[in-house]
Amino acid sequence: MARARGRVATAGNVDVPDKMKNRIPVVLLACGSFNPITNMHLRLFEVARDHLHKTGMYQVVEGIISPVNDNYGKKDLVPSHHRVAMVRLALQTSDWIRVDSWESEQVQWMETVKVLRHHQSQLLRSAARMEGLDPDKPPSDLTAAPELKLLCGADILKTFQTPNLWKDSHIQEIVEKFGLVCVSRAGHDPQGYILGSPILSKYRHNIHLAREPVPNEISATYVRRALSQGQSVKYLLPDAVIGYIKDHGLYMTDSSQKGRSTQRNKGKTS
Amino acid sequence: MEELERTEVVLLACGSFNPITNMHLRLFELARDHMNSTGKYRVVKGIISPVGDAYKKKGLIPAHHRVTMAELATKTSGWVEVDPWESLQKEWVETVKVLRHHQERLEAGSCHQWQNSPEQEKPSRKRKWAEPRQNSTQKKPLQPNTKAAPQVKLLCGADLLESFGVPNLWKSEDIARILADYGLVCVTRAGSDAQKFIYESDVLWRHRHDIHLVNEWVTNDISSTKIRRALRRGQSIRYLVPDPVQEYIQEHGIYSAESEDRNLGVVLAPLQRNIEEDAS
């Protein structure tokens, strides 16, 4: 099966740097409901990668989509095995982004910072393994574990302000130990959110604000509503995902039941 | 049932499609849902008609590329197709003439049996239009055709509606013809702007019942201009255009700073023609 290369489609004669050797390797992790995944979610990765590459300092080596656990309790959340399957289908043609079901398979919902810690330790482990496999290679930064950064939309940055939604210590750990790549969204002022928060201001060097050059406000909420009303969502999400939704009869009703409220509900991308 | 009383409609979209984007494709989906949900219409086909090179728009790349990309983009659609007729004409063709051409073709084609079953999404099958459907399960007895040909309607975004106000871009009699003989299906973000525009124009107001406004609730600003700009800047366009289109663009390297300068300083064909005709 011919797979589309995840390379950036460039205009002719554009200078694309291919010597990324001295750059810091980065892995982007996106957490969220992905209920369902849409082209907008996928765009976040592309925009974030372009942005980091443009800084000249980073090379994005991998993207990970981590759908949230069912026990998150958000309204209309379809079972995680479906959400994971849809993400997998959506990523069939991407050669750098993958889905990870670890978070969804845990017994209970867990805070984002714990998901970051898990993936960080996974990355360290595989870096150590690679180093162990090749004793001839000097223990240099060739096998240094990549930096893991949380990828999100600007709306998530805003939710840091919501009382009791995030633990302050978690926000700090996320921006201090990991880093944030935040893709702009209409109606949000990420600079303003950073300036308005002491923690975010302190670590603003570790918060990368990427601008989406082509505004595109596809929300999964809209997609679910359209599906329940029998309207087309073609071209808003990958065809393979639409096929899956139809095959499994997902999102046929706009559920009116309230999701189970958990003590520390987190705002996540819908 | 009322199925038989519905007017069959073909949605025709004219434009540069330079390149085609997911937004263009969404227009069709939104318009079809809307027209079908009125209970009065049944949309049976969508046609993408890329403009010819003689249009002379700045940055317009050769038509064969634009047609090919549109074909790649509609491969997975069971009802939207590309028609290269307009793009193959040597001179630029006014939109009303393109509408007329397609309406006449449909009327000629309606001599064949038309089946009444609703369109199914068949991703693998691209139906050639004006061909009778080869559906062996149909047991419809042969009878003289009394069914009217589908009505062609011009599908567009708000930008085309507003372009009616640009001096010399459209002949006012053409605008009236487009509305009266065919009709407009206009997908807009803020319905109120389009409504205001209609209100403020006498010719649009007169034909306001021939203008169907469709609300686009998902702001979708995937303009081709922005796509071309992103390409020049080495930015990704993935998920803004169908994958096969993105691959085609990458393989052929068709968009660049040079391609954007095509027709620089050249007068747009409709402006040229209308000014000349007024002068003569």
Side-chain angles (χ1 to χ4, degrees):
Chain A
M1 173 179 80
R3 276 167 60 107
R5 299 261 167 257
R7 292 198 308 264
V8 171
T10 59
N13 303 323
V14 167
D15 212 348
V16 178
D18 55 0
K19 296 240 183 300
M20 300 265 209
K21 267 214 274 258
N22 299 321
R23 294 182 176 219
I24 300 167
V26 165
V27 170
L28 296 172
L29 172 74
C31 299
S33 308
F34 301 104
N35 186 36
I37 187 154
T38 70
N39 283 344
M40 189 215 72
H41 296 127
L42 300 165
R43 280 297 294 159
L44 293 184
F45 281 88
E46 298 287 311
V47 171
R49 180 169 74 160
D50 282 349
H51 177 89
L52 290 178
H53 284 182
K54 237 210 186 107
T55 65
M57 292 194 299
Y58 301 101
Q59 182 201 358
V60 177
V61 297
E62 187 180 43
I64 303 173
I65 294 185
S66 174
V68 79
N69 194 289
D70 286 335
N71 291 314
Y72 181 48
K74 199 170 182 186
K75 183 162 114 70
D76 297 339
L77 202 63
V78 308
S80 63
H81 68 95
H82 283 314
R83 291 181 288 115
V84 167
M86 288 188 283
V87 174
R88 189 168 287 125
L89 286 170
L91 296 174
Q92 260 172 355
T93 58
S94 176
D95 64 1
W96 68 284
I97 312 170
R98 67 176 182 86
V99 67
D100 192 287
S101 56
W102 178 83
E103 181 183 355
S104 66
E105 285 165 4
Q106 300 313 297
V107 162
Q108 57 188 14
W109 167 75
M110 57 187 4
E111 289 97 334
T112 299
V113 74
K114 291 183 181 151
V115 183
L116 281 161
R117 288 178 199 155
H118 163 79
H119 285 283
Q120 180 76 81
S121 74
Q122 293 291 103
L123 286 169
L124 282 167
R125 222 173 281 149
S126 47
R129 234 179 287 131
M130 275 171 59
E131 201 142 336
L133 277 174
D134 196 343
D136 291 331
K137 253 206 191 107
S140 62
D141 43 26
L142 284 174
T143 47
E147 283 185 14
L148 180 66
K149 299 197 181 300
L150 183 66
L151 168 65
C152 64
D155 51 335
I156 298 310
L157 203 60
K158 185 175 189 199
T159 68
F160 285 169
Q161 296 169 0
T162 307
N164 294 321
L165 205 53
W166 301 79
K167 285 199 181 86
D168 278 353
S169 60
H170 286 184
I171 298 178
Q172 168 137 0
E173 188 176 337
I174 288 172
V175 293
E176 184 189 4
K177 298 258 169 60
F178 298 99
L180 217 55
V181 184
C182 181
V183 179
S184 64
R185 211 170 176 178
H188 289 278
D189 172 27
Q191 291 277 21
Y193 305 150
I194 294 174
L195 292 172
S197 152
I199 305 175
L200 297 184
S201 295
K202 182 170 178 199
Y203 296 101
R204 65 179 173 280
H205 58 278
N206 220 6
I207 301 175
H208 303 268
L209 298 181
R211 288 205 83 233
E212 159 67 280
V214 184
N216 188 8
E217 295 296 312
I218 303 171
S219 81
T221 306
Y222 170 85
V223 168
R224 293 194 300 273
R225 190 177 312 134
L227 286 165
S228 72
Q229 293 174 1
Q231 290 163 357
S232 163
V233 293
K234 199 165 159 79
Y235 313 114
L236 298 179
L237 25 162
D239 280 347
V241 179
I242 299 177
Y244 184 96
I245 291 173
K246 296 261 149 86
D247 287 344
H248 292 83
L250 303 177
Y251 307 115
M252 296 277 55
T253 49
D254 227 350
S255 137
S256 54
Q257 71 183 73
K258 284 213 171 80
R260 285 165 284 145
S261 58
T262 51
Q263 186 116 35
R264 287 203 176 265
N265 258 345
K266 280 209 340 252
K268 292 202 179 187
T269 49
S270 58
Chain B
M1 252 226 71
E2 319 96 38
E3 280 304 309
L4 290 171
E5 290 160 20
R6 291 189 182 222
T7 304
E8 290 192 335
V9 165
V10 168
L11 296 172
L12 172 74
C14 299
S16 308
F17 301 103
N18 186 36
I20 191 161
T21 71
N22 282 346
M23 185 209 73
H24 293 127
L25 300 161
R26 281 301 296 160
L27 293 188
F28 280 93
E29 299 290 310
L30 289 164
R32 178 171 75 157
D33 280 349
H34 174 87
M35 298 298 278
N36 286 353
S37 72
T38 62
K40 295 194 286 203
Y41 302 99
R42 191 169 83 241
V43 176
V44 298
K45 187 195 293 294
I47 301 176
I48 293 176
S49 177
V51 77
D53 292 332
Y55 187 51
K56 297 288 181 201
K57 193 171 183 182
K58 181 167 162 325
L60 196 67
I61 66 165
H64 69 94
H65 281 312
R66 294 182 285 113
V67 167
T68 303
M69 288 188 286
E71 284 171 349
L72 289 169
T74 50
K75 253 204 309 222
T76 63
S77 174
W79 67 285
V80 182
E81 350 186 300
V82 181
D83 192 293
W85 176 84
E86 181 184 355
S87 69
L88 294 169
Q89 305 312 303
K90 271 209 300 278
E91 303 290 322
W92 168 70
V93 185
E94 285 100 335
T95 301
V96 70
K97 295 198 175 113
V98 183
L99 284 159
R100 192 170 305 145
H101 166 83
H102 285 282
Q103 185 69 68
E104 284 169 3
R105 280 241 290 247
L106 283 169
E107 269 152 25
S110 76
C111 297
H112 298 275
Q113 269 310 104
W114 277 92
Q115 308 296 347
N116 248 346
S117 49
E119 293 286 300
Q120 298 295 324
E121 292 281 336
K122 283 200 164 62
S124 55
R125 203 154 71 101
K126 194 121 163 215
R127 196 172 310 111
K128 275 225 157 111
W129 71 288
E131 249 177 35
R133 291 229 344 235
Q134 261 99 60
N135 193 337
S136 54
T137 61
Q138 282 290 344
K139 291 189 181 68
K140 207 169 167 198
L142 277 168
Q143 27 179 257
N145 178 53
T146 48
K147 195 162 179 258
Q151 284 181 11
V152 177
K153 292 192 183 304
L154 185 63
L155 168 66
C156 65
D159 54 341
L160 189 136
L161 190 69
E162 284 169 24
S163 79
F164 283 161
V166 174
N168 291 315
L169 194 56
W170 299 83
K171 291 203 191 79
S172 50
E173 58 265 30
D174 279 2
I175 298 176
R177 274 264 93 88
I178 288 171
L179 296 171
D181 294 353
Y182 305 100
L184 211 64
V185 182
C186 182
V187 181
T188 74
R189 216 165 308 125
S192 57
D193 271 357
Q195 279 166 345
K196 179 165 179 280
F197 193 74
I198 293 170
Y199 167 75
E200 287 175 353
S201 152
D202 285 345
V203 63
L204 295 183
W205 178 257
R206 209 176 314 130
H207 297 281
R208 63 193 181 282
H209 303 297
D210 300 312
I211 303 173
H212 305 265
L213 291 180
V214 182
N215 272 321
E216 178 192 14
W217 297 113
V218 177
T219 309
N220 202 352
D221 263 331
I222 307 178
S223 76
S224 300
T225 305
K226 293 191 174 124
I227 297 289
R228 297 196 305 275
R229 185 178 300 136
L231 287 166
R232 290 196 300 279
R233 296 176 182 180
Q235 292 166 341
S236 164
I237 59 166
R238 279 211 83 185
Y239 312 115
L240 299 175
V241 303
D243 278 350
V245 176
Q246 185 255 329
E247 285 159 41
Y248 183 91
I249 291 173
Q250 195 172 335
E251 274 168 37
H252 291 81
I254 42 186
Y255 288 110
S256 63
E258 287 75 41
S259 72
E260 198 62 17
D261 276 344
R262 285 171 73 97
N263 296 318
L264 188 62
V266 176
V267 180
L268 204 66
L271 294 173
Q272 181 77 29
R273 186 174 301 174
N274 291 331
I275 291 170
E276 275 171 3
E277 284 182 9
D278 281 349
S280 62

